[in-house]
Amino acid sequence: MTRTEYFSQTRVTFLDDAKKVARYVSEHEKVETEKILRVADDVVKQSFLFNLRWDMERTFEPVVFENQIDWMHQPGDDSEWVFAFNRMRFWICLGQAYALTGDEKYAKTFASQLCDWVKRVKRDDVRCQKAWRSIEAGLRMEYWTKAMQYFKESPSLTDEVIDTFLSSVEEHAAFLYSVWDSYHLMSNWGVLENHGLFLASLALPKSEQSEIYRKEALRRLALEIQIQVYDDGVQWEQSPMYHNEVAHDFLDVVLMCKRLFLPLDDVIFEKTHRMCRAAMAWQKPDGTEPTMGDSDRIDQRDIITKGAYLFGDGQLKAFGYPHLDFDCAWDLGFSAIEEYDRLPSIRSSKKMNVLRESGNAIVRDQDFYLRFHCGTLGAGHGHSDKLHFDLYAHGEDLLVDAGRFTYVPKSERYEFKDSTAHNTTTVDRKNFTVCKDSWECSKLSAPLGFRTAEKHAYTALQGSHQGYLDVGVLPKRTIVTLPGSLVLVCDAFLGVGQHRYQSYLHFNDEGKVKLTEEGTLYRSTRNEMQVQVISSGGVTQFLKPTRVSRHYNQLSDNKTLVSEVEAEGFASLFTLISLNKAEHFEHATIAKVRVLSNFKKIRFPDHWIEAVEIRKGSNAFTVVIAHQEWATPTDTFNAEGCTGFGSVVVFDTAKGEQEIGTRLFS
């Protein structure tokens, strides 16, 4: 087939006018344009580094082939390098560089490397198995078919190159068509594979067989999105990076079906939209996804932007880019640029977003952000992070998830998956989820009691899990946000026997942390955060050297506050977090107060109900938190003069409030 024939029949139509898009990004996306040109120049030189936005396993040292490329080369102990290499995302960079410059060296490199790979990397060759995992085959079909768009005018794409390309696409399609079962139905692999099968069917000449591939790909994708994506829009593996990879694929499918007037199951359209809105809900103020589970710190606004365009959703646009970014301009085409600009941006005033089925809740207020998790593990990509929370304020992460670092089954894999790598609690310093290897667990812990509330100026989040039932302990966390940039965390351990109970707070490594008489202080160029931990049983605290990984293969030294209390049976820890802008520090205090029964005239035991008094500047609150049922037969509590009823109640004592209060949980 000739180049002209191929481009006249291909239905892969992401890009409408390469020259106009090239002019747009050259003018409006100069930094990213320069980066892509550097990547393309390196690929011409056979130097490979995986540092693009959505490279799933980043690398930081280039691998250079002086002579012939060894497609199965593996530097070090991590097979992920081979996998990433054989996806060829870098060929899209070659195509974009060609569209930007017209330099034939990029097209020649693409044609040469394509033909070399097809000739030498055979699916039936046992030595090439790592290149022919089904997920790599699916990803290749996206990257190859998209890369081809850019070389429409290139003489380097000879008839021989086109034939080689199409014969390999046919082989990929047949392979992907053959590999679908219950595992692929439930795993993100299935989506990435069948997205590739769908695009391969559009790249092939239209025929009875290509139509079979297309229809089967869409059938499978409809089933996959039904079972894999919760009704709240979260992909079940509880990892924002893989959620976004899956959303990216479904956005491609929605786009192509709309443009080509292909029939599309409503469930794909509706749940893809929900996936975008779920990503919007957990997006941090700086536009990045949380490093939850196996996720990196990635600016996800291209996903939100593409979703805003496809679904005409102004609320999504408020969390996306004001104009199409580099990636979206190439994937949506020139005509989409003006269409997106006409879409109004609608900023919601909603303070709390609850993704209930997946067990995620996000509180945001201007530049304040708190994310709480009490949901399922999420299988291999999930971490031991139940009851974990992230905290962000004044343009900076404050309390962080430690990240993932590696997939290799070695000590670092467990270091970052374990409970102690998260802002949660443990009992006797043991993990509540135990890893068997990089992907499987020998012990799981079901979430319990996830609930949320928002009333007046307060929000409350609560949850528990079954991870310590084997030692007779039920951990329960309650988080209350208060005016004055205050966050109260109550960790209750309902149990029997002698135990040591720990809580962990992982600070942002970009600030300085120290223990003082005023508590633990975190200081940076933007923030001064004060953390105080109290317990009726006395608390031991120390700063533990730990590490944080914002991207795969990347490590930084960090500090983690460990607070520990030892008790027979019940114990609790109250943690007060006070946020301040840099150089505007205002001291905060927290103290326990007695809780009495108004009816029985007795003091309630701590394992029934507790209260703390919090002060900061002109703010003063009494917060009452019950750990179990306490009102028998008919009773109200009295916490230092504050009378009320409920399991979580806040009194604004600075305003003289002493009766009823605000009941957040009954």
Side-chain angles (χ1 to χ4, degrees):
M1 180 179 287
T2 67
R3 182 180 72 251
T4 302
E5 289 171 337
Y6 171 76
F7 285 108
S8 67
Q9 62 82 39
T10 182
R11 291 181 287 170
V12 178
T13 54
F14 292 95
L15 190 61
D16 53 359
D17 192 319
K19 291 181 179 178
K20 288 183 179 179
V21 173
R23 285 197 295 270
Y24 173 81
V25 298
S26 296
E27 181 178 351
H28 299 284
E29 295 287 333
K30 293 180 180 179
V31 173
E32 191 66 17
T33 296
E34 291 172 359
K35 177 181 178 179
I36 294 303
L37 289 173
R38 287 196 299 271
V39 172
D41 285 338
D42 286 342
V43 173
V44 171
K45 299 171 186 174
Q46 300 188 163
S47 175
F48 299 94
L49 184 68
F50 309 127
N51 64 352
L52 298 172
R53 186 201 308 230
W54 290 108
D55 278 334
M56 285 186 276
E57 288 78 42
R58 286 197 181 186
T59 60
F60 296 88
E61 293 293 331
V63 172
V64 182
F65 296 97
E66 297 295 342
N67 299 304
Q68 188 178 56
I69 292 175
D70 178 2
W71 294 105
M72 302 311 301
H73 174 72
Q74 178 178 311
D77 61 358
D78 195 349
S79 297
E80 294 296 336
W81 198 95
V82 186
F83 303 150
F85 188 39
N86 283 275
R87 292 167 188 163
M88 290 86 169
R89 171 62 179 83
F90 45 81
W91 284 355
I92 290 180
C93 299
L94 285 176
Q96 290 167 343
Y98 181 75
L100 286 161
T101 66
D103 193 328
E104 200 61 29
K105 70 178 181 181
Y106 301 116
K108 288 179 180 178
T109 298
F110 169 71
S112 172
Q113 291 182 3
L114 169 68
C115 292
D116 183 62
W117 188 92
V118 172
K119 179 181 178 181
R120 296 171 49 226
V121 183
K122 299 297 185 181
R123 187 161 68 87
D124 57 359
D125 187 340
V126 67
R127 296 169 299 177
C128 300
Q129 285 183 343
K130 288 182 180 180
W132 273 99
R133 293 195 314 171
S134 54
I135 185 176
E136 270 65 66
L139 286 163
R140 275 198 295 274
M141 287 301 92
E142 176 191 353
Y143 302 152
W144 286 23
T145 58
K146 284 184 176 179
M148 282 294 289
Q149 301 174 104
Y150 301 103
F151 300 109
K152 186 175 182 179
E153 308 298 330
S154 172
S156 296
L157 265 69
T158 63
D159 297 353
E160 181 184 5
V161 172
I162 294 295
D163 286 341
T164 299
F165 169 77
L166 287 174
S167 66
S168 189
V169 170
E170 173 60 45
E171 181 183 17
H172 278 77
F175 172 52
L176 292 168
Y177 183 75
S178 71
V179 288
W180 196 68
D181 53 24
S182 61
Y183 172 79
H184 299 93
L185 170 68
M186 198 61 194
S187 170
N188 69 75
W189 279 42
V191 176
L192 274 60
E193 291 159 4
N194 288 299
H195 167 249
L197 177 59
F198 174 70
L199 292 180
S201 76
L202 301 182
L204 291 170
K206 191 172 182 180
S207 66
E208 181 179 352
Q209 188 60 50
S210 68
E211 285 298 280
I212 289 173
Y213 292 149
R214 178 184 64 80
K215 291 175 182 178
E216 179 62 11
L218 291 177
R219 187 190 74 84
R220 294 175 184 178
L221 288 165
L223 292 174
E224 287 162 355
I225 202 168
Q226 285 183 72
I227 197 169
Q228 291 188 31
V229 178
Y230 292 128
D231 287 344
D232 61 17
V234 174
Q235 202 267 350
W236 80 283
E237 291 173 279
Q238 298 281 19
S239 170
M241 191 183 79
Y242 286 93
H243 170 104
N244 282 324
E245 284 290 338
V246 169
H248 163 83
D249 287 359
F250 279 112
L251 286 166
D252 274 359
V253 171
V254 171
L255 176 65
M256 285 296 95
C257 287
K258 287 179 71 172
R259 287 192 173 167
L260 299 172
F261 303 101
L262 299 173
L264 181 68
D265 194 309
D266 288 345
V267 72
I268 293 180
F269 189 87
E270 293 165 3
K271 281 207 167 183
T272 303
H273 192 185
R274 288 185 207 171
M275 291 189 77
C276 294
R277 293 189 69 86
M280 175 187 73
W282 67 44
Q283 180 173 293
K284 292 192 291 186
D286 63 0
T288 60
E289 64 185 18
T291 54
M292 176 187 181
D294 282 339
S295 300
D296 288 349
R297 186 179 181 274
I298 300 172
D299 189 330
Q300 62 165 33
R301 284 176 290 177
D302 61 319
I303 300 292
I304 305 298
T305 297
K306 193 178 293 183
Y309 169 77
L310 281 176
F311 300 109
D313 189 333
Q315 288 191 353
L316 283 176
K317 184 174 181 179
F319 282 77
Y321 293 110
H323 310 284
L324 289 193
D325 62 293
F326 184 93
D327 291 330
C328 284
W330 290 113
D331 261 2
L332 297 175
F334 184 76
S335 63
I337 294 170
E338 289 187 354
E339 292 178 46
Y340 184 75
D341 284 345
R342 289 194 294 269
L343 180 67
S345 178
I346 304 171
R347 176 66 66 172
S348 172
S349 59
K350 192 175 182 181
K351 188 173 183 178
M352 181 184 291
N353 281 281
V354 182
L355 305 169
R356 195 161 301 281
E357 191 174 359
S358 61
N360 293 284
I362 300 91
V363 179
R364 65 174 78 245
D365 188 6
Q366 296 179 340
D367 201 28
F368 171 88
Y369 168 100
L370 185 150
R371 179 187 64 87
F372 175 64
H373 176 62
C374 182
T376 55
L377 173 69
H381 286 300
H383 287 196
S384 185
D385 61 354
K386 287 179 180 64
L387 312 188
H388 166 92
F389 70 100
D390 294 338
L391 188 60
Y392 178 109
H394 310 137
E396 178 186 31
D397 285 313
L398 295 172
L399 299 174
V400 301
D401 185 311
R404 59 170 178 158
F405 181 63
T406 189
Y407 289 160
V408 179
K410 55 184 179 180
S411 61
E412 289 88 348
R413 177 61 168 159
Y414 311 120
E415 173 186 344
F416 288 94
K417 288 196 78 167
D418 282 352
S419 314
T420 54
H422 302 89
N423 301 323
T424 186
T425 60
T426 58
V427 177
D428 298 325
R429 301 189 181 183
K430 295 179 180 178
N431 293 300
F432 51 79
T433 303
V434 179
C435 294
K436 184 177 180 180
D437 54 33
S438 280
W439 307 109
E440 191 176 352
C441 292
S442 60
K443 177 187 175 184
L444 300 173
S445 55
L448 296 170
F450 173 62
R451 58 177 177 167
T452 64
E454 180 180 358
K455 292 183 182 179
H456 308 316
Y458 315 117
T459 65
L461 314 166
Q462 193 173 80
S464 180
H465 63 78
Q466 297 178 342
Y468 295 110
L469 292 186
D470 57 338
V471 295
V473 177
L474 183 72
K476 183 180 179 182
R477 169 165 280 183
T478 304
I479 301 175
V480 180
T481 66
L482 303 164
S485 298
L486 295 164
V487 178
L488 175 67
V489 182
C490 174
D491 289 306
F493 303 91
L494 314 176
V496 295
Q498 189 76 21
H499 296 285
R500 291 182 298 168
Y501 305 110
Q502 299 82 33
S503 76
Y504 305 85
L505 293 178
H506 294 257
F507 295 93
N508 182 355
D509 64 313
E510 294 174 359
K512 294 182 178 179
V513 183
K514 64 178 181 179
L515 286 168
T516 73
E517 293 181 357
E518 295 180 327
T520 304
L521 298 180
Y522 169 89
R523 287 194 168 97
S524 69
T525 57
R526 297 183 177 185
N527 283 278
E528 293 189 25
M529 178 172 64
Q530 179 187 10
V531 179
Q532 299 172 79
V533 184
I534 62 170
S535 173
S536 56
V539 183
T540 300
Q541 290 184 290
F542 59 93
L543 288 174
K544 176 185 176 182
T546 54
R547 298 189 289 185
V548 63
S549 174
R550 290 185 174 84
H551 292 98
Y552 197 88
N553 286 324
Q554 185 185 61
L555 277 177
S556 298
D557 291 331
N558 200 17
K559 289 184 178 179
T560 298
L561 175 65
V562 182
S563 302
E564 183 174 77
V565 60
E566 186 170 0
E568 174 77 24
F570 173 82
S572 64
L573 290 166
F574 284 89
T575 302
L576 178 65
I577 302 169
S578 175
L579 306 176
N580 307 274
K581 287 185 178 180
E583 300 181 2
H584 291 84
F585 182 80
E586 195 169 23
H587 182 66
T589 62
I590 180 173
K592 285 197 64 179
V593 296
R594 299 181 307 165
V595 185
L596 307 177
S597 163
N598 282 318
F599 180 76
K600 293 184 284 290
K601 308 301 181 186
I602 63 168
R603 179 175 179 175
F604 285 117
D606 284 354
H607 67 274
W608 281 26
I609 186 169
E610 293 182 283
V612 292
E613 184 179 77
I614 296 167
R615 296 185 180 275
K616 180 182 179 182
S618 60
N619 294 291
F621 306 96
T622 296
V623 182
V624 183
I625 298 179
H627 307 304
Q628 64 179 47
E629 293 275 4
W630 56 269
T632 175
T634 300
D635 209 348
T636 55
F637 60 70
N638 186 308
E640 291 293 301
C642 294
T643 294
F645 172 82
S647 65
V648 176
V649 186
V650 179
F651 297 86
D652 189 340
T653 54
K655 295 181 179 178
E657 186 177 52
Q658 291 188 305
E659 292 181 323
I660 312 302
T662 298
R663 183 170 56 232
L664 293 166
F665 294 137
S666 60

